[in-house]
C-alpha cells in the first residue's frame, strides 16, 4: 500500500501545499484490492512501444515498472561492424527525432581521436542544422503531448512547421529524418545555393508562428488543469537519476552542455536556457516551448556569423582512429548525449558506448508516477520527453 | 461472413462492393520506429491520406481493415504484432512500411531484429525506403486500393492471396513526380 495520507489518497489532484476542503464520509478509509495494469507496448498514450506496468490501488498508481527493450536493435554491437563513416548512418537512427545531433556526437568523437581541425564554416553549418533539428524535435513533442491530453489540433500546427523545416533540411542533406550529413572532418557537401536565404525566410515565418503554440496550448484552461502540479520532480531527485534536457531545466537546474562545456562554436553565440520552477508537467512543457524560441535566437546569430570557406577535409580511403578512447557529450534536443568511443587502431570502433538522454530520463518515471491517477500518469509520461529507440538503442 | 465466402458476387455488385471497401480502409498503425513519424506526417495536412479514404483512427485491431507496420520489428516485439494481426477481422490487409519492416533494413546483421515482418504475418504491399517518404505511403495505399477493386472476396476469405506488391520493383509509381524514398530515384 502507499505511504500517502488518507486525505491525499482521496483527493489525488492536490498540488503540494494546496488546501482542499473535502467532506469525508465515515472514517475516510476503504479497502481496495491491488491490481497490475500493463500499458503498452502498443498503446497510443505511450508514444512508441514503451511498456509500463502500473500497480494500482483503485485508480491510483502506487508503483510503476517500465519494461524496456521492445525497440532494442543492438546499436552498440552493430557499430563495431561499421567503419567510422558508416556509423553516421547508424547512430542517427537511435533517436529518430534528432538524427543530426546524434551523428554530430560521433563525428566530434572521431575528430577528437584523430586530432583533426574542422573548418570554421563546417562548424557553423553543423550548428545551424543541429538547431533546426532541435526545433523539429520539439515540434513533434508539442504535437504528441497535446494529443495524449486529448487535443488534436496542435499536432496539425506542429506538422505544418515540421514539413517546412524538413523541406529546407532536405535541400541540403537529402534526408527528411536521417540526414547523414556529417563525416569525420566536416560535412559531406556544402550547402546548396540559396539555402541561407531560405533559412532566413523560414526563421521569419517560424517567429511569426511560434506564438500560436503558446496561445493555443499554454493558455488553455484544460491544459493547465491537466498539467499544473502534476508529477513534480525536485531538482535533487532529477540530478540523482541523471535526468537532463528540458526535464531537468524544468526543475530549475541550468545544466546545458552548450553553455557549461561548449562544443563547436557555441561559445561565440548566446545560448538562453529557459528554466522552470516546480518541475511539474506544465513546467516541462513550457521549457520545451521556450527552447524553440531559444533555438530560433541561436539560428538568427548563426545567420549573422556564417563564414565562407571549405566545409570538409580530404579523407583517406579508410578512416582509422588511433588506439585510445574518448568521451564526447553534446546537448541533444532531449538532453545530454554522450558517446564513449574506444578504438584499437582498426577501421571500426572497438567499442561505442552510448549515454542516451531518454534512457536516463525514464529512470525518473517510477518516482514521478508514484501516487498519481491513471489520467495524470498519461500527462506525466508525455511530459518526460523520451524516444523509445533512444531508451532501448 | 454469411454469403460472401460461399458465392462469387456478380460483377456489378462486386464492383460497387469493392469500391466501397477500398475507400473506407480503417487503418491500425503499428508505429514502431522512425517510419511511424513519416506515417504521422502522411496523415497530417500536407500529405493527408484521409482524402484517399484511409482512416487512421481505428480504436484497436478489432475495428481495423488495414495494418500498417511501420518501423523495426524486434524479436521481443514480434509476438505482439502477430497477436494484434490475429485479432483483426477478415478481410484484412497489411502494408509493410519501411526497410526494417520489409527485411530488417540497416539492422540486417543485428542479433535482436526480426528480418522482416513477413516472417510472422502475410504482407500485401511492401513500401521501401529508410524511412520512405509520405508520398511513398500514399503510393502503397493506392496500389492496395487498386488490388482491392479487382479482388474476389470469396478467394480472399478462403485464404487464396495474390502475390504481394513491392513498390518500385515492377510497376511504375502511381503518383506523378513521387520519389520512392531514400532507396529509389524517380521512375
Amino acid at each position: 500500500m502507499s505511504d500517502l495520507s488518507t486525505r491525499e489518497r482521496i483527493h489525488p489532484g492536490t498540488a503540494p501545499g494546496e488546501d482542499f476542503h473535502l467532506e469525508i464520509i465515515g472514517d475516510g478509509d476503504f479497502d481496495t484490492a491491488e491490481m497490475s495494469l500493463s500499458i503498452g507496448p502498443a498503446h497510443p498514450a505511450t508514444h512508441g512501444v514503451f511498456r509500463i506496468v502500473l500497480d494500482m490501488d483503485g485508480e491510483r498508481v502506487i508503483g510503476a515498472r517500465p519494461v524496456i527493450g521492445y525497440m532494442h536493435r543492438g546499436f552498440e554491437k552493430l557499430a563495431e561492424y561499421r567503419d567510422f563513416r558508416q556509423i553516421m548512418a547508424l547512430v542517427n537512427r537511435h533517436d529518430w527525432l534528432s538524427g543530426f545531433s546524434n551523428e554530430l556526437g560521433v563525428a566530434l568523437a572521431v575528430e577528437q581521436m584523430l586530432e583533426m581541425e574542422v573548418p570554421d564554416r563546417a562548424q557553423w553549418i553543423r550548428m545551424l542544422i543541429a538547431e533546426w533539428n532541435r526545433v523539429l524535435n520539439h515540434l513533434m513533442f508539442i504535437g504528441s503531448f497535446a494529443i495524449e491530453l486529448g487535443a488534436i489540433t496542435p499536432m496539425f500546427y506542429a506538422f505544418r512547421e515540421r514539413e517546412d523545416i524538413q523541406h529546407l533540411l532536405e535541400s541540403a542533406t537529402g534526408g527528411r529524418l536521417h540526414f547523414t550529413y556529417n563525416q569525420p572532418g566536416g560535412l559531406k557537401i556544402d550547402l546548396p545555393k540559396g539555402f541561407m536565404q531560405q533559412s532566413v525566410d523560414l526563421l521569419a515565418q517560424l517567429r511569426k508562428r511560434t506564438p500560436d503554440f503558446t496561445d493555443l496550448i499554454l493558455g488553455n484552461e484544460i491544459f493547465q488543469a491537466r498539467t499544473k502540479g502534476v508529477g513534480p520532480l525536485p531538482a535533487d531527485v532529477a540530478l540523482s537519476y541523471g535526468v537532463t534536457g528540458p526535464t531537468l531545466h524544468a526543475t530549475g537546474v541550468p545544466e546545458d552542455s552548450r553553455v557549461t562545456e561548449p562544443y563547436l562554436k557555441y561559445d561565440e553565440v548566446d545560448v538562453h536556457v529557459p528554466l522552470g520552477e516546480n518541475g511539474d508537467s506544465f513546467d516541462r512543457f513550457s521549457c520545451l516551448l521556450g527552447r524553440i524560441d531559444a533555438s530560433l535566437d541561436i539560428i538568427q546569430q548563426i545567420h549573422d556569423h556564417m563564414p565562407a570557406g571549405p566545409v570538409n577535409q580530404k579523407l583517406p580511403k579508410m578512416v582509422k582512429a588511433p588506439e585510445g578512447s574518448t568521451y564526447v557529450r553534446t546537448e541533444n534536443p532531449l538532453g545530454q548525449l554522450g558517446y564513449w568511443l574506444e578504438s584499437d587502431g582498426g577501421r571500426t570502433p572497438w567499442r561505442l558506448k552510448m549515454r542516451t538522454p531518454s534512457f536516463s530520463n525514464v529512470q525518473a518515471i517510477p518516482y514521478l508516477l508514484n501516487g498519481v491517477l491513471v489520467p495524470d500518469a498519461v500527462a506525466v509520461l508525455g511530459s518526460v520527453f523520451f524516444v523509445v529507440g533512444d531508451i532501448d538503442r | 461472413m454469411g454469403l460472401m465466402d460461399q458465392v462469387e458476387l456478380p460483377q456489378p455488385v462486386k464492383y460497387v462492393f469493392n469500391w466501397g471497401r477500398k475507400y473506407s480502409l480503417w487503418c491500425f498503425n503499428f508505429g514502431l520506429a522512425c517510419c511511424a513519424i513519416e506515417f504521422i506526417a502522411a496523415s497530417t495536412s500536407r500529405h493527408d491520406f484521409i482524402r484517399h479514404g484511409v482512416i487512421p483512427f481505428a480504436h484497436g485491431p478489432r475495428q481495423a481493415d488495414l495494418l500498417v507496420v511501420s518501423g523495426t520489428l524486434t524479436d521481443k516485439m514480434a509476438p505482439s504484432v502477430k497477436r494484434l494481426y490475429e485479432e483483426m477481422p477478415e478481410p484484412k490487409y497489411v502494408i509493410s512500411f519501411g526497410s526494417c519492416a520489409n527485411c530488417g533494413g540497416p539492422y540486417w546483421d543485428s542479433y535482436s531484429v526480426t528480418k522482416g515482418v513477413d516472417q510472422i504475418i502475410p504482407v500485401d504491399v511492401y513500401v521501401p525506403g529508410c524511412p520512405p517518404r509520405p508520398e511513398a505511403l500514399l503510393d502503397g495505399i493506392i496500389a492496395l486500393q487498386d488490388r482491392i477493386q479487382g479482388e474476389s472476396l470469396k478467394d480472399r476469405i478462403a485464404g487464396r492471396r495474390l502475390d504481394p506488391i513491392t513498390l518500385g520493383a515492377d510497376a511504375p509509381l502511381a503518383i506523378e513526380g513521387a520519389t520512392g524514398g531514400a532507396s529509389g530515384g524517380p521512375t
Side-chain angles (χ1 to χ4, degrees), chain A residues 141-155:
Chain A
F141 278 100
I142 287 175
S144 69
F145 185 42
I147 269 197
E148 279 151 24
L149 294 180
I152 294 181
T153 317
M155 190 62 145

Side-chain angles (χ1 to χ4, degrees), chain A residues 34-40 46 50-56 61-68 70 362-370 381, chain B residues 76:
Chain A
E34 281 182 31
M35 79 167 209
S36 235
L37 180 69
S38 171
I39 301 184
T46 61
F50 184 66
R51 181 177 170 210
I52 190 158
V53 180
L54 302 176
D55 296 325
M56 312 284 302
V61 180
I62 54 171
R65 283 165 285 147
V67 183
I68 63 172
Y70 283 95
V362 295
Q363 306 306 323
I365 283 184
Y367 175 88
L368 286 172
L369 287 187
N370 202 5
L381 276 178
Chain B
K76 187 171 179 176

Side-chain angles (χ1 to χ4, degrees), chain A residues 235-256:
Chain A
D236 53 332
V237 178
L239 286 172
S240 66
Y241 278 115
V243 170
T244 47
T247 316
L248 179 67
H249 298 158
T251 67
V253 181
E255 165 64 34
D256 188 319

Side-chain angles (χ1 to χ4, degrees), chain A residues 117-126 265 268 306-311:
Chain A
E117 286 284 320
V118 182
D120 266 6
R121 183 172 167 80
Q123 300 203 24
W124 282 98
I125 295 177
R126 278 178 176 181
K265 297 285 180 188
E268 292 180 32
M306 186 63 78
V311 295

Side-chain angles (χ1 to χ4, degrees), chain A residues 54-371:
Chain A
L54 302 176
D55 296 325
M56 312 284 302
D57 175 17
E59 210 178 328
R60 180 185 273 281
V61 180
I62 54 171
R65 283 165 285 147
V67 183
I68 63 172
Y70 283 95
M71 207 16 76
H72 177 67
R73 304 184 274 192
F75 277 102
E76 293 181 3
K77 194 69 190 165
L78 291 183
E80 292 166 20
Y81 294 89
R82 308 277 198 270
D83 75 31
F84 288 100
R85 270 181 278 201
Q86 290 170 331
I87 293 178
M88 303 293 169
L90 190 67
V91 290
N92 58 15
R93 281 165 169 79
H94 68 80
D95 177 354
W96 46 74
L97 291 173
S98 31
F100 190 85
S101 315
N102 299 341
E103 57 192 69
L104 182 62
V106 173
L108 290 174
V110 177
E111 282 153 14
Q112 220 172 70
M113 292 186 82
L114 289 166
E115 289 172 8
M116 217 175 225
E117 286 284 320
V118 182
D120 266 6
R121 183 172 167 80
Q123 300 203 24
W124 282 98
I125 295 177
R126 278 178 176 181
M127 267 167 70
L128 178 63
I129 310 269
E131 291 307 319
W132 273 128
N133 199 179
R134 200 179 306 273
V135 177
L136 263 183
N137 175 304
H138 291 346
L139 283 171
M140 180 71 211
F141 278 100
I142 287 175
S144 69
F145 185 42
I147 269 197
E148 279 151 24
L149 294 180
I152 294 181
T153 317
M155 190 62 145
F156 294 101
Y157 277 68
F159 265 81
R160 181 184 63 183
E161 321 305 349
R162 265 180 70 87
E163 289 289 339
D164 288 340
I165 301 173
Q166 281 180 329
H167 184 74
L168 175 78
L169 297 187
E170 194 188 350
S171 72
T173 64
R176 280 166 56 89
L177 287 179
H178 307 313
F179 304 110
T180 328
Y181 194 37
N182 280 296
Q183 63 178 34
L187 302 163
K188 271 202 289 200
I189 41 168
D190 204 345
L191 295 175
K193 217 172 160 187
F195 181 91
M196 289 308 286
Q197 188 52 47
Q198 283 176 26
S199 182
V200 169
D201 294 346
L202 185 59
L203 178 66
Q205 179 190 327
L206 269 159
R207 287 254 192 228
K208 252 189 280 170
R209 285 178 177 178
T210 41
D212 285 0
F213 293 107
T214 322
D215 298 345
L216 196 64
I217 308 173
L218 282 189
N220 187 310
E221 214 172 296
I222 302 169
F223 180 83
Q224 291 184 1
R226 291 280 317 261
T227 54
K228 271 199 174 160
V230 172
L233 183 65
D236 53 332
V237 178
L239 286 172
S240 66
Y241 278 115
V243 170
T244 47
T247 316
L248 179 67
H249 298 158
T251 67
V253 181
E255 165 64 34
D256 188 319
S257 317
R258 292 173 296 171
V259 182
T260 52
E261 227 178 273
Y263 51 99
L264 295 176
K265 297 285 180 188
Y266 278 112
D267 46 351
E268 292 180 32
V269 294
D270 292 328
V271 181
H272 169 62
V273 182
L275 296 177
E277 282 169 12
N278 309 319
D280 55 5
S281 286
F282 185 82
D283 276 9
R284 284 194 281 274
F285 188 77
S286 43
C287 278
L288 193 81
L289 271 178
R291 273 162 74 98
I292 290 188
D293 288 327
S295 284
L296 294 182
D297 288 341
I298 298 172
I299 291 169
Q300 174 98 56
Q301 296 175 54
I302 296 169
H303 285 157
D304 300 338
H305 276 89
M306 186 63 78
V311 295
N312 51 20
Q313 298 182 350
K314 207 166 158 34
L315 288 174
K317 258 206 174 114
M318 187 56 69
V319 181
K320 283 185 183 169
E323 211 175 317
S325 66
T326 186
Y327 182 77
V328 167
R329 54 178 176 174
T330 54
E331 185 72 14
N332 238 32
L334 300 179
Q336 211 165 74
L337 175 74
Y339 286 115
W340 184 74
L341 185 66
E342 178 146 0
S343 169
D344 57 355
R347 44 190 281 197
T348 60
W350 184 78
R351 176 88 169 90
L352 179 75
K353 170 82 181 81
M354 298 168 181
R355 183 260 182 239
T356 50
S358 303
F359 181 78
S360 304
N361 288 1
V362 295
Q363 306 306 323
I365 283 184
Y367 175 88
L368 286 172
L369 287 187
N370 202 5

Side-chain angles (χ1 to χ4, degrees), chain A residues 1 9-10 27-32:
Chain A
M1 294 294 286
R9 214 168 344 136
I10 287 182
D27 60 356
D29 215 350
F30 48 90
D31 284 332
T32 46

